[in-house]
Amino acid sequence: MVSTIETVETVHEFTGAYKYGFVTDIEMDVAPKGLTEDTIRYISAKKDEPEWLLEWRLKALTLWRKMEEPTWAKVDYPKIDYQDLHYYAAPKNRSDGPKSLDEVDPELLATYEKLGIPLKEQEILAGVVAVDAVFDSVSVATTYKAKLEEKGIIFCSFSEAVHRAPELVKKYLGSVVPQGDNYFACLNSAVFSDGSFVYIPKGVRCPMELSTYFRINAQNTGQFERTLIIAEEGAYVSYLEGCTAPQRDENQLHAAVVELIALDDAEIKYSTVQNWYPGDAEGKGGIYNFVTKRGACRGKRSKISWTQVETGSAVTWKYPSCILQGDDSVGEFYSVAITNNAQQADTGTKMIHIGKNTRSTIVSKGIAAGRSDNTYRGLVRVLANAEGARNYSQCDSLLIGDKCGAHTVPYIESHMPISTIEHEATTARISDDQLFLCRQRGLSPEEAVALIVNGFCKEVLQNLPMEFAVEAQKLVGISLEGSVG
Amino acid sequence: MSKGLIVTDLHVSIEDKEILKGVTLAVEPGKVHAIMGPNGGGKSTLAHVISGRPGYTVTGGSVSFDGHDVLEMEPEERAALGLFLAFQYPVEIPGVTNTTFLKTAVNAQRKARGEAEMDPMAFLRLLREKAKLLYLPDDMLKRPLNVGFSGGEKKRNEMLQMAVLAPKLAILDETDSGLDIDALRIVAEGVNAQRAPDRSFLVITHYQRLLDYIVPDVVHVLADGRIVETGGPDLAKQLEKTGYAEYAGTAA
């Protein structure tokens, strides 16, 4: 998000430094280890939540206790001791972190360098300084929020939304991903930390790409993130999540939930670049990323489009999905998942066709290198009333080396004879001939792989907003370093 | 420092089978050498070993270019030095446009030589100018590399890459194979337009036909892993009549 940061800096220059405007709670707060009703009461009290939300969290805990951790995904990781985790920590005390970039892992700095990340942003990413210490978030936020508020758009942290727009939160929270939906979503429902809330009123086209970077205290919400985006009739919003730079986090377990709601003629475009720490070459220390993302096309002619570039995390378990309820609604899923070394990714989508003439498109590009395992798992379900539903799926896998695995697991269920479902899949490897051609023309093996893989993922990458796309291309190359030669 | 390509007593094996059994030849700057010979004689192996394709074992001899020990260099280092191989079977790279591919190649070579990246607009002008000379339509520059190209288009595209990369030595590995007469002429014209005092060519071909259009300075016959005869352009014409039969039994 280099360009975004530059924008922030520009705004910062114009608005002048505002030194003491932080609203961060600087007391050192960590909930004791373990997950009990008390933990949840603690979290809820810290956030000064209304009673109904506490009850909602507690109900999730009750459900979660009866659930089993899923084992059907093609991923393998040591058993997680859920009672040995902290479920709440206030923003970290800066004195624990590195004092300057000199103390940061040189390898990490080299990666930042390659991505062309400005020094100031490097400091944030490496944990040398807090976001709000470099950028005067308050003034930045004020500038942008003023612009958004003019149009009646609400864009704030989830915790803030609970107080600012309680009716909307109450109405839509859990309406797409109910508490008991699955093990990890249920855990999130009980203990979610924070996340984004977006509300676009009727007929409004959001004038800018919304990104987590504009949110105050965006840091430290990564573990159990909860995001809710509502687009009213005829509204449009494009939302960007994540960052191309590798992000480290002390919390190994991440279980986020994202819910999107699109009413009549509304459109939501949700783009993700996920580059959480993948662990070392053995996969040790990497993030477990167990995410539930789902959008409901409730209205007629509504559209939800997911684009994801997944390069990080040791284990990824993620299926951004669309429930196509409204007649003529459209769901899209464009995905690039890259695994290297010991990474494991089991990712895909679910397209549930309920309304008439609903359409969905799935384009998945999986790239496996090293000893990694890369699985596409997708469901296309056409229900009995979805007359005229259409789906097109394309799942391509690219293998680099001979120790990795690519797997495609498509599930297709149709209960409506008047529907069309197409599925295409290919598996290829980077051939020695392609590599040699590139090297003969002057490219290093790493440049060659980056070029070939970028070509392979082009259809997906070109769906990303411009500022993300260029960095994502570089990221593709960097993620695969060391995979050949 | 000796200029040009010097191959000395080169022995090469693939999986213990000796393919080149002592090849010696020297190509001076500005010269065009043709290598002819029967199939399986080692022509393509020679091209591949000079350009650094993996999979071959050099068991003896040396290859130098402008005084550099080529065999010690990575393929991309050889490319930056000015060695170019036009492939017999150009491979496809889906999703990577011709333009992107060439721009990446040009800049990779410039970087390796310590030069600045080429200005994108200047690059596009150069690319269009060279494409025009080879009668390549602009839309081919936007298509993914070799994907859906006809045989003739692929070979012309190799010539385009050569023209843009402007190498010091271009090796053409049976570039004429699979070309009809019109395509052959276009390819030959592309080569002739590139002839220059500081650029040499090694033209590998099975047939004399190509040499009607690209007139070589020297013709070598490579059979059973050895250069069995060297002569002027007339040698090619003579081979057209007699074939390679007389070299068939030269294996010791």
Side-chain angles (χ1 to χ4, degrees):
Chain A
M1 296 294 312
V2 175
S3 43
T4 314
I5 287 300
E6 276 165 6
T7 318
V8 174
E9 282 179 301
T10 315
V11 173
H12 179 70
E13 278 165 24
F14 277 106
T15 50
Y18 180 71
K19 289 188 184 104
Y20 307 107
F22 308 145
V23 286
T24 317
D25 181 2
I26 50 163
E27 283 170 54
M28 196 57 192
D29 289 315
V30 179
K33 275 184 180 176
L35 182 50
T36 63
E37 287 189 10
D38 286 345
T39 321
I40 286 164
R41 287 180 195 284
Y42 178 90
I43 295 169
S44 196
K46 275 286 163 201
K47 295 177 167 292
D48 195 18
E49 286 177 351
E51 187 64 22
W52 71 264
L53 191 50
L54 172 64
E55 292 304 321
W56 196 84
R57 287 176 180 272
L58 289 170
K59 187 184 158 205
L61 178 68
T62 312
L63 288 167
W64 183 74
R65 282 175 168 160
K66 294 178 199 144
M67 295 171 91
E68 295 281 332
E69 196 170 331
T71 52
W72 44 261
K74 194 173 165 39
V75 292
D76 188 25
Y77 54 91
K79 196 157 174 52
I80 298 167
D81 181 355
Y82 290 91
Q83 296 305 332
D84 192 37
L85 299 174
H86 289 289
Y87 289 89
Y88 182 84
K92 244 190 328 185
N93 189 337
R94 308 308 318 167
S95 62
D96 296 346
K99 306 276 182 302
S100 75
L101 284 177
D102 298 339
E103 294 177 28
V104 175
D105 183 359
E107 214 174 285
L108 195 64
L109 294 179
T111 309
Y112 292 160
E113 198 68 37
K114 284 176 203 156
L115 282 165
I117 293 168
L119 209 61
K120 272 188 177 175
E121 199 180 344
Q122 291 189 18
E123 289 181 332
I124 301 170
L125 292 163
V128 176
V129 284
V131 176
D132 49 10
V134 176
F135 309 113
D136 187 346
S137 317
V138 174
S139 58
V140 169
T142 324
T143 308
Y144 278 87
K145 272 185 181 163
K147 208 167 160 186
L148 294 174
E149 271 167 15
E150 263 173 40
K151 301 204 172 244
I153 295 169
I154 305 174
F155 177 39
C156 61
S157 75
F158 194 92
S159 307
E160 198 185 331
V162 170
H163 299 286
R164 259 180 80 183
E167 290 314 309
L168 286 171
V169 174
K170 203 169 175 178
K171 183 174 177 189
Y172 289 107
L173 176 69
S175 74
V176 187
V177 181
Q179 289 132 303
D181 186 79
N182 70 71
Y183 190 78
F184 299 115
C186 195
L187 177 65
N188 174 289
S189 301
V191 300
F192 67 84
S193 31
D194 212 334
S196 296
F197 177 86
V198 178
Y199 174 77
I200 314 287
K202 189 173 171 178
V204 170
R205 195 180 166 86
C206 185
M208 64 185 93
E209 312 266 357
L210 296 183
S211 127
T212 36
Y213 260 74
F214 287 112
R215 226 184 48 224
I216 303 172
N217 292 341
Q219 264 197 340
N220 239 347
T221 55
Q223 193 180 10
F224 297 107
E225 207 165 331
R226 185 99 201 180
T227 292
L228 180 57
I229 298 178
I230 302 147
E232 291 273 13
E233 285 171 33
Y236 169 85
V237 63
S238 168
Y239 184 85
L240 316 180
E241 169 200 61
C243 183
T244 51
Q247 286 177 289
R248 289 186 186 244
D249 191 305
E250 285 168 9
N251 302 305
Q252 191 167 32
L253 174 66
H254 283 218
V257 172
V258 175
E259 295 179 278
L260 312 181
I261 295 112
L263 301 181
D264 283 0
D265 299 295
E267 180 177 349
I268 302 174
K269 185 175 164 61
Y270 195 106
S271 311
T272 306
V273 172
Q274 187 268 114
N275 192 19
W276 292 108
Y277 182 54
D280 61 14
E282 307 303 317
K284 212 176 141 221
I287 303 285
Y288 300 157
N289 199 28
F290 302 140
V291 182
T292 305
K293 289 185 170 176
R294 195 175 301 154
C297 285
R298 296 241 163 104
K300 290 175 182 161
R301 298 167 302 276
S302 55
K303 179 177 175 184
I304 288 178
S305 181
W306 300 98
T307 304
Q308 62 171 19
V309 177
E310 300 282 319
T311 63
S313 300
V315 181
T316 299
W317 181 100
K318 181 182 175 189
Y319 315 91
S321 305
C322 296
I323 301 171
L324 304 169
Q325 286 168 286
D327 290 349
D328 301 294
S329 60
V330 176
E332 292 176 339
F333 174 73
Y334 298 98
S335 169
V336 168
I338 299 177
T339 52
N340 196 0
N341 297 316
Q343 282 178 279
Q344 305 169 71
D346 193 305
T347 185
T349 184
K350 287 190 274 186
M351 292 291 174
I352 314 295
H353 293 258
I354 300 170
K356 291 184 175 47
N357 299 312
T358 45
R359 283 167 291 151
S360 63
T361 304
I362 300 170
V363 178
S364 161
K365 305 278 180 176
I367 299 110
R371 290 168 292 116
S372 69
D373 259 310
N374 199 317
T375 304
Y376 168 81
R377 187 183 304 275
L379 168 69
V380 176
R381 179 182 286 153
V382 178
L383 297 185
N385 291 324
E387 191 177 330
R390 274 188 294 159
N391 162 265
Y392 172 73
S393 304
Q394 186 189 332
C395 301
D396 299 324
S397 307
L398 189 69
L399 298 162
I400 302 171
D402 56 6
K403 293 183 181 64
C404 54
H407 319 274
T408 302
V409 192
Y411 301 84
I412 296 171
E413 292 172 19
S414 181
H415 304 280
M416 175 66 216
I418 308 168
S419 63
T420 313
I421 300 171
E422 289 176 75
H423 181 93
E424 288 181 25
T426 65
T427 302
R429 64 169 62 242
I430 293 186
S431 73
D432 291 346
D433 285 347
Q434 287 174 323
L435 267 184
F436 179 62
L437 165 66
C438 292
R439 296 184 72 185
Q440 206 303 304
R441 297 300 185 251
L443 278 65
S444 69
E446 275 161 4
E447 287 170 325
V449 168
L451 184 76
I452 294 167
V453 173
N454 267 305
F456 176 75
C457 321
K458 193 178 181 181
E459 276 173 274
V460 173
L461 296 181
Q462 61 194 189
N463 274 297
L464 288 171
M466 197 58 186
E467 52 177 16
F468 248 29
V470 176
E471 286 182 46
Q473 281 180 17
K474 288 190 200 165
L475 178 62
V476 163
I478 291 168
S479 317
L480 290 165
E481 275 182 2
S483 60
V484 287
Chain B
M1 179 168 107
S2 351
K3 294 295 255 179
L5 175 76
I6 299 170
V7 179
T8 313
D9 194 26
L10 185 65
H11 290 256
V12 173
S13 300
I14 305 175
E15 291 169 356
D16 294 337
K17 186 178 187 303
E18 191 167 48
I19 308 292
L20 297 184
K21 303 171 179 174
V23 171
T24 297
L25 81 127
V27 184
E28 291 166 21
K31 300 292 184 196
V32 176
H33 284 222
I35 296 192
M36 303 184 69
N39 287 328
K43 300 192 298 291
S44 286
T45 299
L46 179 64
H48 290 158
V49 170
I50 294 172
S51 51
R53 187 191 192 101
Y56 298 91
T57 312
V58 176
T59 53
S62 66
V63 178
S64 79
F65 186 72
D66 285 355
H68 297 270
D69 181 355
V70 165
L71 296 180
E72 286 300 307
M73 301 169 88
E74 297 294 337
E76 59 272 24
E77 293 171 329
R78 303 182 200 197
L81 197 62
L83 284 179
F84 178 90
L85 173 68
F87 287 84
Q88 185 176 2
Y89 305 108
V91 292
E92 298 179 356
I93 303 189
V96 177
T97 65
N98 226 347
T99 304
T100 302
F101 178 73
L102 262 174
K103 191 163 73 185
T104 310
V106 165
N107 285 329
Q109 291 198 13
R110 291 175 74 106
K111 199 172 103 193
R113 291 194 291 257
E115 300 162 13
E117 283 200 359
M118 200 165 175
D119 171 69
M121 294 317 289
F123 171 78
L124 279 179
R125 273 197 300 277
L126 173 78
L127 183 64
R128 291 216 181 95
E129 176 201 317
K130 301 293 183 191
K132 213 171 162 187
L133 289 174
L134 288 154
Y135 304 100
L136 283 169
D138 262 11
D139 80 286
M140 245 179 82
L141 302 176
K142 294 176 199 140
R143 280 159 60 188
L145 186 70
N146 292 325
V147 177
F149 286 22
S150 70
E153 284 174 332
K154 283 184 186 173
K155 296 299 172 74
R156 274 191 279 161
N157 203 41
E158 292 291 291
M159 293 302 102
L160 174 69
Q161 292 172 37
M162 179 177 81
V164 171
L165 291 168
K168 288 186 194 155
L169 169 70
I171 304 169
L172 276 55
D173 186 11
E174 305 211 16
T175 295
D176 50 339
S177 68
L179 289 189
D180 61 33
I181 194 73
D182 292 329
L184 186 74
R185 197 174 294 143
I186 292 171
V187 164
E189 280 168 11
V191 172
N192 288 330
Q194 293 290 304
R195 286 177 85 150
D198 59 350
R199 180 170 299 136
S200 47
F201 291 86
L202 197 57
V203 180
I204 293 172
T205 179
H206 186 71
Y207 300 105
Q208 193 267 337
R209 200 171 59 151
L210 179 64
L211 304 181
D212 286 341
Y213 299 99
I214 306 172
V215 180
D217 297 297
V218 182
V219 175
H220 307 276
V221 179
L222 181 64
D224 194 31
R226 291 187 182 86
I227 303 263
V228 291
E229 191 152 1
T230 296
D234 291 345
L235 177 57
K237 295 210 162 58
Q238 181 196 321
L239 285 168
E240 182 76 353
K241 293 191 193 101
T242 59
Y244 299 112
E246 68 170 289
Y247 306 111
T250 49

